[in-house]
Amino acid sequence: RHVFRDVRLADAVDEVNRYASRRVVIADPSLAELTVSGSFVAGDTASIVAAFAAVLPIRVSESGEELLLFRRR
């Protein structure tokens, strides 16, 4: 499990990518300092990214084997 408590998004993404089949990329550098909290199943990248997008101003775009995180407008 991944357990995050007020962790920078950039650090959380680094940890998620250690177990991910699809790489998560922060495409908008302004998102890196946002913080996330929660408990997530390691390797369930799609669900983790969806949870981030549900609570943060993020939109997700798929590009090949990558999940790109952009700021939601």
Side-chain angles (χ1 to χ4, degrees):
R1 287 195 84 72
H2 298 296
V3 178
F4 303 125
R5 191 166 288 141
D6 291 324
V7 173
R8 290 175 52 242
L9 181 62
D11 295 331
V13 165
D14 286 345
E15 181 66 16
V16 168
N17 280 335
R18 291 181 61 208
Y19 303 93
S21 57
R22 297 181 74 188
R23 187 165 175 264
V24 181
V25 177
I26 298 176
D28 182 337
S30 71
L31 298 173
E33 297 301 318
L34 296 177
T35 60
V36 295
S37 296
S39 178
F40 306 95
V41 175
D44 190 358
T45 310
S47 293
I48 295 169
V49 169
F52 291 169
V55 297
L56 296 172
I58 291 173
R59 70 178 171 83
V60 181
S61 178
E62 297 184 31
S63 176
E65 290 301 312
E66 295 182 329
L67 297 170
L68 307 174
L69 305 183
F70 294 94
R71 183 168 292 276
R72 191 175 346 160
R73 306 215 188 273

